[in-house]
PDB file of all heavy atoms in Angstrom:
ATOM      1  N   GLY A  98      -4.598   5.492   1.349  1.00 96.00           N
ATOM      2  CA  GLY A  98      -3.239   6.005   1.359  1.00 96.00           C
ATOM      3  C   GLY A  98      -2.500   5.927   2.677  1.00 96.00           C
ATOM      4  O   GLY A  98      -1.293   6.188   2.721  1.00 96.00           O
ATOM      5  N   LYS A  99      -3.162   5.567   3.739  1.00 96.00           N
ATOM      6  CA  LYS A  99      -2.502   5.507   5.047  1.00 96.00           C
ATOM      7  C   LYS A  99      -1.930   4.118   5.288  1.00 96.00           C
ATOM      8  O   LYS A  99      -2.664   3.152   5.514  1.00 96.00           O
ATOM      9  CB  LYS A  99      -3.489   5.870   6.147  1.00 96.00           C
ATOM     10  CG  LYS A  99      -2.853   5.994   7.516  1.00 96.00           C
ATOM     11  CD  LYS A  99      -3.864   6.440   8.561  1.00 96.00           C
ATOM     12  CE  LYS A  99      -3.193   6.576   9.921  1.00 96.00           C
ATOM     13  NZ  LYS A  99      -4.172   6.943  10.961  1.00 96.00           N
ATOM     14  N   LYS A 100      -0.618   4.034   5.279  1.00 97.00           N
ATOM     15  CA  LYS A 100       0.084   2.740   5.383  1.00 97.00           C
ATOM     16  C   LYS A 100      -0.365   1.974   6.618  1.00 97.00           C
ATOM     17  O   LYS A 100      -0.551   2.550   7.701  1.00 97.00           O
ATOM     18  CB  LYS A 100       1.586   2.980   5.450  1.00 97.00           C
ATOM     19  CG  LYS A 100       2.416   1.703   5.554  1.00 97.00           C
ATOM     20  CD  LYS A 100       3.907   2.003   5.594  1.00 97.00           C
ATOM     21  CE  LYS A 100       4.721   0.726   5.745  1.00 97.00           C
ATOM     22  NZ  LYS A 100       6.187   0.992   5.770  1.00 97.00           N
ATOM     23  N   LEU A 101      -0.533   0.653   6.449  1.00 97.00           N
ATOM     24  CA  LEU A 101      -0.911  -0.170   7.587  1.00 97.00           C
ATOM     25  C   LEU A 101      -0.241  -1.531   7.503  1.00 97.00           C
ATOM     26  O   LEU A 101       0.166  -1.985   6.414  1.00 97.00           O
ATOM     27  CB  LEU A 101      -2.425  -0.318   7.667  1.00 97.00           C
ATOM     28  CG  LEU A 101      -3.115  -1.103   6.560  1.00 97.00           C
ATOM     29  CD1 LEU A 101      -3.269  -2.567   6.943  1.00 97.00           C
ATOM     30  CD2 LEU A 101      -4.500  -0.532   6.276  1.00 97.00           C
ATOM     31  N   GLY A 145      -0.385  -4.420  -4.655  1.00 97.00           N
ATOM     32  CA  GLY A 145      -0.779  -3.530  -3.568  1.00 97.00           C
ATOM     33  C   GLY A 145      -0.383  -4.034  -2.188  1.00 97.00           C
ATOM     34  O   GLY A 145      -0.680  -3.376  -1.185  1.00 97.00           O
ATOM     35  N   TYR A 146       0.270  -5.179  -2.112  1.00 98.00           N
ATOM     36  CA  TYR A 146       0.654  -5.779  -0.834  1.00 98.00           C
ATOM     37  C   TYR A 146       2.155  -6.058  -0.805  1.00 98.00           C
ATOM     38  O   TYR A 146       2.772  -6.274  -1.835  1.00 98.00           O
ATOM     39  CB  TYR A 146      -0.088  -7.104  -0.608  1.00 98.00           C
ATOM     40  CG  TYR A 146      -1.585  -7.007  -0.667  1.00 98.00           C
ATOM     41  CD1 TYR A 146      -2.265  -7.288  -1.857  1.00 98.00           C
ATOM     42  CD2 TYR A 146      -2.337  -6.637   0.443  1.00 98.00           C
ATOM     43  CE1 TYR A 146      -3.639  -7.197  -1.936  1.00 98.00           C
ATOM     44  CE2 TYR A 146      -3.715  -6.547   0.381  1.00 98.00           C
ATOM     45  CZ  TYR A 146      -4.358  -6.836  -0.812  1.00 98.00           C
ATOM     46  OH  TYR A 146      -5.731  -6.750  -0.874  1.00 98.00           O
ATOM     47  N   LYS A 147       2.700  -6.056   0.395  1.00 98.00           N
ATOM     48  CA  LYS A 147       4.081  -6.508   0.622  1.00 98.00           C
ATOM     49  C   LYS A 147       4.077  -7.413   1.830  1.00 98.00           C
ATOM     50  O   LYS A 147       3.206  -7.302   2.708  1.00 98.00           O
ATOM     51  CB  LYS A 147       5.002  -5.307   0.902  1.00 98.00           C
ATOM     52  CG  LYS A 147       5.375  -4.493  -0.328  1.00 98.00           C
ATOM     53  CD  LYS A 147       6.186  -3.264   0.049  1.00 98.00           C
ATOM     54  CE  LYS A 147       7.452  -3.579   0.782  1.00 98.00           C
ATOM     55  NZ  LYS A 147       8.265  -2.378   1.059  1.00 98.00           N
ATOM     56  N   ILE A 159       1.741  -6.012   4.668  1.00 98.00           N
ATOM     57  CA  ILE A 159       1.875  -4.554   4.637  1.00 98.00           C
ATOM     58  C   ILE A 159       1.114  -3.991   3.446  1.00 98.00           C
ATOM     59  O   ILE A 159       1.288  -4.467   2.312  1.00 98.00           O
ATOM     60  CB  ILE A 159       3.372  -4.166   4.527  1.00 98.00           C
ATOM     61  CG1 ILE A 159       4.146  -4.759   5.698  1.00 98.00           C
ATOM     62  CG2 ILE A 159       3.532  -2.640   4.487  1.00 98.00           C
ATOM     63  CD1 ILE A 159       5.609  -4.981   5.422  1.00 98.00           C
ATOM     64  N   LEU A 160       0.295  -2.992   3.717  1.00 97.00           N
ATOM     65  CA  LEU A 160      -0.365  -2.238   2.655  1.00 97.00           C
ATOM     66  C   LEU A 160       0.231  -0.846   2.669  1.00 97.00           C
ATOM     67  O   LEU A 160      -0.048  -0.054   3.568  1.00 97.00           O
ATOM     68  CB  LEU A 160      -1.881  -2.195   2.879  1.00 97.00           C
ATOM     69  CG  LEU A 160      -2.665  -3.477   2.564  1.00 97.00           C
ATOM     70  CD1 LEU A 160      -2.423  -4.555   3.617  1.00 97.00           C
ATOM     71  CD2 LEU A 160      -4.149  -3.186   2.445  1.00 97.00           C
ATOM     72  N   GLU A 161       1.077  -0.555   1.702  1.00 95.00           N
ATOM     73  CA  GLU A 161       1.817   0.712   1.692  1.00 95.00           C
ATOM     74  C   GLU A 161       0.887   1.897   1.446  1.00 95.00           C
ATOM     75  O   GLU A 161       1.026   2.954   2.043  1.00 95.00           O
ATOM     76  CB  GLU A 161       2.887   0.684   0.601  1.00 95.00           C
ATOM     77  CG  GLU A 161       3.994  -0.325   0.818  1.00 95.00           C
ATOM     78  CD  GLU A 161       5.201   0.261   1.545  1.00 95.00           C
ATOM     79  OE1 GLU A 161       5.159   1.461   1.902  1.00 95.00           O
ATOM     80  OE2 GLU A 161       6.174  -0.479   1.768  1.00 95.00           O
ATOM     81  N   SER A 162      -0.069   1.714   0.547  1.00 97.00           N
ATOM     82  CA  SER A 162      -1.004   2.795   0.223  1.00 97.00           C
ATOM     83  C   SER A 162      -2.382   2.164  -0.037  1.00 97.00           C
ATOM     84  O   SER A 162      -2.766   1.962  -1.191  1.00 97.00           O
ATOM     85  CB  SER A 162      -0.515   3.571  -1.002  1.00 97.00           C
ATOM     86  OG  SER A 162      -1.375   4.657  -1.274  1.00 97.00           O
ATOM     87  N   PRO A 163      -3.090   1.854   1.029  1.00 97.00           N
ATOM     88  CA  PRO A 163      -4.367   1.130   0.874  1.00 97.00           C
ATOM     89  C   PRO A 163      -5.368   1.884   0.004  1.00 97.00           C
ATOM     90  O   PRO A 163      -5.422   3.120   0.015  1.00 97.00           O
ATOM     91  CB  PRO A 163      -4.881   1.000   2.304  1.00 97.00           C
ATOM     92  CG  PRO A 163      -3.688   1.201   3.177  1.00 97.00           C
ATOM     93  CD  PRO A 163      -2.784   2.131   2.430  1.00 97.00           C
ATOM     94  N   GLN A 167      -9.135  -2.758  -1.574  1.00 98.00           N
ATOM     95  CA  GLN A 167      -8.492  -3.681  -0.651  1.00 98.00           C
ATOM     96  C   GLN A 167      -9.339  -3.918   0.597  1.00 98.00           C
ATOM     97  O   GLN A 167      -8.910  -4.626   1.518  1.00 98.00           O
ATOM     98  CB  GLN A 167      -7.098  -3.174  -0.273  1.00 98.00           C
ATOM     99  CG  GLN A 167      -6.142  -3.229  -1.468  1.00 98.00           C
ATOM    100  CD  GLN A 167      -4.768  -2.704  -1.137  1.00 98.00           C
ATOM    101  OE1 GLN A 167      -4.606  -1.524  -0.786  1.00 98.00           O
ATOM    102  NE2 GLN A 167      -3.767  -3.538  -1.255  1.00 98.00           N
TER     103      GLN A 167
END
Side-chain angles (χ1 to χ4, degrees):
Chain A
K99 187 176 181 183
K100 180 179 178 179
L101 67 92
Y146 304 95
K147 284 175 58 176
I159 302 155
L160 284 73
E161 294 267 1
S162 183
Q167 292 179 298

